Every structure is written in structure tokens, then in C-alpha cells.
Amino acid sequence: MSVPLLSVERLCVAYGRVEAVRDVSLAVPQGSIVAILGPNGAGKTSLLGAIMGVLRSRGRAAFDGQPLEGRRVEQRVADGMSLVPEKRELFVTMSVEDNLRLGGFRRRGSAEFGRTLEEMWRLFPRLQERRAQLAGTLSGGERQMLAMARALMSRPRLLMLDEPSLGLAPLIVKDIFRTVAELRRTGVSILLVEQNARAALELADYGYVLENGCVVLEGPASELRQDERVIAAYLGIK
Ligand code: ATP
């Protein structure tokens, strides 16, 4: 078997005495979409933060076979990892286009930079229409699109998405998920944290269920969709 793009072994995150993530192991194979499900406070955001290197953690993680230990956030971005945070964290007083330019600052001035920007306009036509608009005036769905596009400007091989559907209307969620599927077709692997378990399991290849910081269940998404515990806790009555 080939080396997974991301592998995490017995990762732990603690805030003082609160253990938010406990001994979590997971893998994201090349070209796949992996979903992490779980209730509020399960540790999903902390897990992504630890993988990206914005939070301190214990345990082991490797990207493309190379240990992540000791690598700073900006090095992880250069390696090909990118995170779209739950709160989007846009530069609200800057235009849509300037937000994207900042996302790709490492490559600015290069031909690839211009190509990537064009690609973002193609992937998110609504953003192109609003390229001069201030990010703070965008709708919730547009903000999520901008946060994704900004993360994609660094041309990641692994895109981590924290609750991309949060607070968005169903039609917009469909749009966002369609874009995630398209990204996978272009070769980007995805680690997706979602409370919308139904949508996530339709899209993902594999899933993990996190509760109280621990993985309590994992398997191919097609199996998790049929699992009685998942149906009872996350999918409701069909
Ligand atoms: P949600 O879906 O509500 O965002 P989550 O699954 O992403 O939840 P986390 O945000 O990772 O969960 O939180 C996991 C646990 O860690 C929670 O008990 C939370 O209160 C705690 N926690 C998170 N951030 C901090 C912090 N900065 N300081 C102290 N405790 C924290």
C-alpha cells in the first residue's frame, strides 16, 4: 500500500487539565476525502489545529511520509497543508481579491500565482463577481467560499475544512460540497470536519466518529451510513 498523505498516531491535545483530543490515530490516503464526525466539544477543531501546528500536541504525525514534529505552521503550509478555520477568519476590511492575494503571498509575482487566481475565479464565480467588494460585506456562503479559495491559493495537497456548512442554507451547502468533490477530482485530498453527518458521509470515502476526544468508531463512509449507532446519533430517522 502507498504511504497515506497524512497519518496521525496517538495524537493528544490538552488545555490545562482538559484533554480535548486523546490518542487519536487516523490516516488520509492520497486523493481521498476523510470525514470526522462528532458532537459539539468532541475535539474536532482541536484535532485540526494540532495537525496544522497551530496547537501544541503530543503524539506523532507525518505528511507524505515526513514527520511533522518540529515543523512550524508556515513550513506545513509550504509542505502542502492548508486549513480553513471554522470562523473563516477573513480580513474583513480588505477586498475579496486582496484576501486571495494574501493567501498566495508565498508565490506572488509568479506565473503560477496568476494561474491559481484564475482557477479560483473559475471555481467560485460568485467571488469573481465580487472581487472588489470588502470581505466583511459578503454573505455567509460567500465568506465560506472566500475562506476556501484563500486556503487554496497556497496550492495545498491536503485541505482541511472545519465545519464548512456551519450556519449556511441548504442550497449553499450543496454548492460548497460540490466544490469539495471537484477539488478532489483535481487531486486535492480533503480532511473534513462536519456536523452535517449525512452530507459528509455522502461525500467522504472514509469516516471517523469522535466523542470526548476519542475515536469511537471508524470505517468506510458507505458502512458508517448503515451503522445503527451512526444512524441513531447522527443521521436520525431515514
Ligand atoms: P465544536 O463542534 O463545538 O466546535 P469540537 O468538536 O470542534 O466542537 P473543540 O472545539 O476541539 O471541539 O473542543 C474540545 C474541548 O476542548 C471542549 O471541551 C472545549 O471546551 C475545550 N477547549 C477548546 N478550546 C479550548 C481552549 N482554548 N481552552 C480551554 N479549553 C478549550
Side-chain angles (χ1 to χ4, degrees), residues 88-106:
R88 320 327 190 203
E89 287 165 25
L90 300 170
F91 301 103
V92 290
T93 58
M94 292 173 68
S95 70
V96 165
E97 182 160 345
D98 285 343
N99 269 271
L100 293 188
R101 290 186 178 280
L102 274 177
F105 75 96
R106 284 180 35 251

Side-chain angles (χ1 to χ4, degrees), residues 109-223:
S110 69
E112 196 194 0
F113 179 92
R115 270 202 307 277
T116 310
L117 195 58
E118 288 306 317
E119 235 175 84
M120 291 307 118
W121 297 146
R122 187 190 57 74
L123 206 55
F124 302 99
R126 285 168 77 106
L127 294 183
Q128 184 172 27
E129 288 164 20
R130 292 161 176 78
R131 62 199 289 170
Q133 195 173 318
L134 294 186
T137 64
L138 295 175
S139 73
E142 291 158 2
R143 283 175 189 227
Q144 178 58 37
M145 289 174 196
L146 181 54
M148 284 172 68
R150 188 184 57 184
L152 288 167
M153 284 300 293
S154 63
R155 301 201 73 89
R157 286 184 290 154
L158 175 70
L159 183 68
M160 295 189 274
L161 296 164
D162 195 354
E163 305 270 9
S165 76
L166 194 72
L168 304 182
L171 269 179
I172 308 284
V173 173
K174 253 193 169 163
D175 234 31
I176 300 270
F177 276 56
R178 202 180 307 127
T179 308
V180 173
E182 192 176 337
L183 284 173
R184 190 241 307 257
R185 282 194 293 278
T186 68
V188 181
S189 308
I190 315 270
L191 183 57
L192 172 70
V193 159
E194 256 300 338
Q195 292 222 22
N196 185 339
R198 188 179 301 280
L201 289 178
E202 267 167 28
L203 188 67
D205 303 296
Y206 199 87
Y208 296 85
V209 179
L210 209 60
E211 284 175 12
N212 289 319
C214 303
V215 173
V216 293
L217 197 63
E218 66 174 279
S222 55
E223 285 174 22

Side-chain angles (χ1 to χ4, degrees), residues 13-16 18-21 38-48 55 86 162-163 166 193 195 210 213:
V13 178
Y15 302 100
V18 178
E19 291 190 317
V21 177
N40 284 121
K44 307 180 297 298
T45 298
S46 304
L47 175 61
L48 292 191
L55 284 180
E86 184 176 349
D162 195 354
E163 305 270 9
L166 194 72
V193 159
Q195 292 222 22
L210 209 60

